[in-house]
Amino acid sequence: MDDTRALLLELGTEELPARHLHTLATGLHHALVHALREARLQHGATASLASPRRLAVQVQALIAERPGTQSLRRGPVAELDSPAAQGFARACGVPLQALETLDDNGRPRLACRVREATQPTSALLPAIISQALKRLPIPRPMRWGTGEASFARPVRWLVLLFGTESIPITLYGITSSSHTYGHRCHHPQAIALQHPDDYLPRLQDPGRVLADPAQRKQRIRTLLQQAADGADLGAYEALLDEVNALVEWPAAITGQFPEQYLQLPREVLLAVICKQQRFFPLFAPDTGALLPRFLSITNLESPDPDAIRDGNERVIRPRLADAEFFLNRDRQRPLQQELDSLQFHERLGSMQDKTERIIPLCTWLAAQLQLPAAELCRAAALCKCDLLSELVGEFPELQGIVGGHLARYAGEPKAIAKAIAEHYQPTHATAAIPTTPAGQALALADRLDTLAGLFSVGAEPTSEKDPYGLRRAALGCMRILIEGQLPLNLQAALQQTVAPPTLLPFMYERLRAWYQESGITPDLYEAVAARNLPTPLDFHQ
């Protein structure tokens, strides 16, 4: 069996942005594996490792030498004693006598056998690593110090180990070594590594760093379940992934807030707890009601956890008080306000203009879908009422939801408030569509107006950019019509707007990838698309 060794590459950095950590880690892993493949270096299993202060890749069973190869390089049609032969020999770096002549349909073609010697992998690695790092997708790279190198955050150390050998390489103004560094507080000292397999155990003890994201995530999950003490954690996977990218040595801390804030809308409470503070809310296991308690994950084991708990509670209380203040101020204002001060698009007018376009479209949709027109048009007139609210100014992700609560507080019928709250759904490709008929119709009207208007002024997406999210809006329309079982003629609906002819095929094209994820073959999609069905529900059926 050929000689193989383990490889470790680690970039030690200042704290990396949590939202980009997974992308950077997987990007480095894929780039390095791709570079090794291009260099014809066979290897075994690979692992992507990352924490807020490091990106690392481990490669098992990497061959110690790249075997030599021999290939035939074909040259021009010429005789051996010609000037063309002399030039070809110089290009190949061999004497004229080393050239061969091949028969090419009765003509002599020159050729040269190119031999590549066996090369040690250790000599190839610096160029391979440099090539892989150049391919790494780095959002908003930054420079530091006096150097010209750039990365997502300043690079502070480099480790490149091949077996027991430390391979010298200089990147980002740093020369690699066999020393990594542990937790910034628990173990800031250097940690000597003798072998790539020492990396994870030595970082864990004495370094107090869990560098394996999967292991760290499971540790956080266990800590949360233990600290919940019988309470329900709800759906917390997205927050768990975010917090996992913020810590190296997690510990759980409990906390609480005054019960008076439970009167706030649930979505507002969760926005403060989860979005602003990245705390984990707790729910009653029997009723699902939100409890006045939360859990936080810290990045160290503190000798005084009560101090951290007090700090967390001191921070969350004024945040909740602000939310309560904003909501009370918003409730004192008229529900229906003029939105002329909010621009929708420079060529399409204000949000007030958009609202006035949606209302007649809702009238037409109500007739087609047999919905109460007065109710739907009232919801359309109020659907953007929260854009000027202070609560949406603080929590933009709650637009629509806040509007639904404000409509309910103002005494609007439940169906109208629900439609307002739902009309931004679905927010992404896998999110749920509105649950009520009025909410589905209002969501359709809002998106159709956006699509038609922006297409009419030439703001359609390009192959690289979609600044207005029109692909997402188009797929949202199609999903509402299909999943909501709405027999609506989409072509007729677009005729109620200023949509150009290119919009309808654009919207149907959004279904291609959506169906592909469901196992529908491209041939079947093309066969159905060839029938030019104007009703998406018929297309689906």
Side-chain angles (χ1 to χ4, degrees):
M1 182 177 179
D2 293 338
D3 180 24
T4 61
R5 306 175 194 172
L7 173 70
L8 170 67
L9 168 66
E10 182 195 42
L11 277 73
T13 68
E14 297 293 340
E15 277 74 4
L16 293 162
R19 64 184 180 279
H20 298 314
L21 183 62
H22 177 72
T23 301
L24 288 169
T26 55
L28 177 60
H29 176 255
H30 292 158
L32 179 56
V33 170
H34 182 70
L36 290 173
R37 186 184 306 116
E38 283 188 333
R40 296 184 287 107
L41 294 176
Q42 297 178 357
H43 58 82
T46 62
S48 173
L49 306 171
S51 78
R53 295 179 65 217
R54 68 202 73 233
L55 299 171
V57 179
Q58 277 186 324
V59 181
Q60 300 296 330
L62 178 61
I63 58 175
E65 291 184 336
R66 180 170 69 181
T69 60
Q70 178 175 293
S71 59
L72 186 67
R73 180 176 176 180
R74 294 165 62 87
V77 175
E79 299 292 340
L80 272 174
D81 56 353
S82 66
Q86 295 174 359
F88 180 57
R90 285 194 300 270
C92 293
V94 298
L96 187 63
Q97 296 77 11
L99 297 182
E100 301 178 17
T101 302
L102 304 176
D103 179 65
D104 187 356
N105 294 325
R107 300 178 302 168
R109 180 175 293 278
L110 299 175
C112 177
R113 295 196 180 276
V114 179
R115 293 174 176 82
E116 181 183 315
T118 299
Q119 293 177 282
T121 300
S122 57
L124 301 172
L125 281 174
I128 291 172
I129 300 299
S130 298
Q131 179 186 6
L133 288 171
K134 288 178 182 178
R135 293 174 172 171
L136 188 60
I138 302 176
R140 297 185 179 180
M142 61 177 293
R143 292 188 297 175
W144 60 95
T146 58
E148 293 297 317
S150 63
F151 198 67
R153 288 294 184 270
V155 177
R156 298 309 188 196
W157 73 86
L158 282 171
V159 176
L160 182 56
L161 276 180
F162 186 43
T164 58
E165 180 184 3
S166 177
I167 307 297
I169 181 174
T170 300
L171 295 167
Y172 311 109
I174 304 290
T175 301
S176 61
S177 71
S178 60
H179 289 81
T180 185
Y181 291 83
H183 192 280
R184 188 184 291 277
C185 299
H186 287 308
H187 196 284
Q189 300 87 359
I191 300 173
L193 301 175
Q194 302 298 324
H195 189 274
D197 292 342
D198 297 339
Y199 183 65
L200 288 177
R202 292 281 290 158
L203 269 181
Q204 185 168 346
D205 186 13
R208 308 294 283 275
V209 171
L210 296 176
D212 183 347
Q215 180 189 10
R216 195 169 61 245
K217 182 177 180 179
Q218 184 55 45
R219 174 61 179 160
I220 296 173
R221 191 192 305 277
T222 301
L223 289 171
L224 290 172
Q225 292 170 350
Q226 291 173 349
D229 194 25
D232 189 3
L233 285 160
Y236 67 100
E237 286 298 321
L239 181 58
L240 176 59
D241 288 333
E242 184 177 4
V243 171
N244 190 34
L246 290 168
V247 299
E248 292 190 318
W249 192 252
I253 302 289
T254 61
Q256 57 185 4
F257 56 86
E259 290 191 21
Q260 72 183 71
Y261 296 119
L262 293 176
Q263 303 301 316
L264 288 170
R266 185 188 183 101
E267 299 89 350
V268 175
L269 273 170
L270 294 179
V272 173
I273 297 171
C274 303
K275 296 290 185 180
Q276 286 190 340
Q277 302 306 124
R278 297 189 178 96
F279 296 160
F280 292 83
L282 294 173
F283 305 87
D286 49 350
T287 64
L290 197 59
L291 300 174
R293 296 191 288 125
F294 61 87
L295 301 176
S296 68
I297 296 296
T298 66
N299 191 28
L300 77 168
E301 288 182 351
S302 172
D304 187 8
D306 288 339
I308 297 179
R309 179 183 299 107
D310 292 343
N312 289 339
E313 292 175 353
R314 281 200 307 271
V315 169
I316 198 171
R317 282 196 298 269
R319 294 282 192 176
L320 293 170
D322 287 346
E324 183 181 54
F325 173 76
F326 293 146
L327 179 61
N328 289 335
R329 293 249 301 189
D330 291 336
R331 291 182 63 179
Q332 294 171 10
R333 297 174 177 174
L335 181 60
Q336 189 167 2
Q337 301 182 50
E338 292 296 319
L339 301 173
D340 292 321
S341 60
L342 288 180
Q343 187 182 65
F344 171 60
H345 186 274
E346 58 184 0
R347 296 179 60 186
L348 296 172
S350 66
M351 293 303 298
Q352 183 64 35
D353 297 323
K354 179 176 176 60
T355 301
E356 292 172 1
R357 290 193 301 269
I358 292 175
I359 293 174
L361 185 54
C362 281
T363 301
W364 184 86
L365 287 172
Q368 301 299 309
L369 301 174
Q370 299 181 358
L371 299 175
E375 179 182 279
L376 185 56
C377 289
R378 178 62 176 169
L382 299 175
C383 68
K384 306 299 180 183
C385 67
D386 61 353
L387 293 182
L388 292 176
S389 68
E390 295 187 50
L391 205 52
V392 168
E394 183 73 10
F395 304 104
E397 69 274 14
L398 295 184
Q399 60 182 2
I401 295 173
V402 169
H405 285 293
L406 293 178
R408 180 168 56 85
Y409 293 141
E412 294 291 334
K414 182 178 179 180
I416 291 177
K418 185 69 171 176
I420 294 171
E422 290 185 325
H423 86 281
Y424 286 104
Q425 297 174 3
T427 54
H428 53 83
T430 58
I433 67 169
T435 58
T436 63
Q440 293 170 359
L442 184 55
L444 274 174
D446 186 28
R447 286 168 173 79
L448 291 176
D449 174 78
T450 296
L451 287 162
L454 290 171
F455 262 70
S456 70
V457 298
E460 62 267 28
T462 65
S463 59
E464 297 179 352
K465 296 182 179 180
D466 184 11
Y468 299 104
L470 298 186
R471 291 187 178 93
R472 183 174 65 248
L475 180 58
C477 285
M478 304 304 272
R479 286 187 55 212
I480 290 171
L481 291 172
I482 292 171
E483 296 177 22
Q485 298 284 302
L486 304 181
L488 182 73
N489 185 315
L490 184 56
Q491 186 172 16
L494 291 177
Q495 290 173 354
Q496 310 304 311
T497 68
V498 293
T502 55
L503 180 52
L504 184 64
F506 171 83
M507 296 183 70
Y508 270 96
E509 186 64 23
R510 296 311 99 207
L511 290 176
R512 184 187 297 272
W514 188 63
Y515 280 127
Q516 212 163 357
E517 293 176 358
S518 304
I520 301 297
T521 64
D523 289 343
L524 179 55
Y525 173 86
E526 294 293 346
V528 178
R531 299 193 62 185
N532 296 318
L533 298 171
T535 302
L537 185 58
D538 292 343
F539 184 100
H540 181 70
Q541 292 173 340

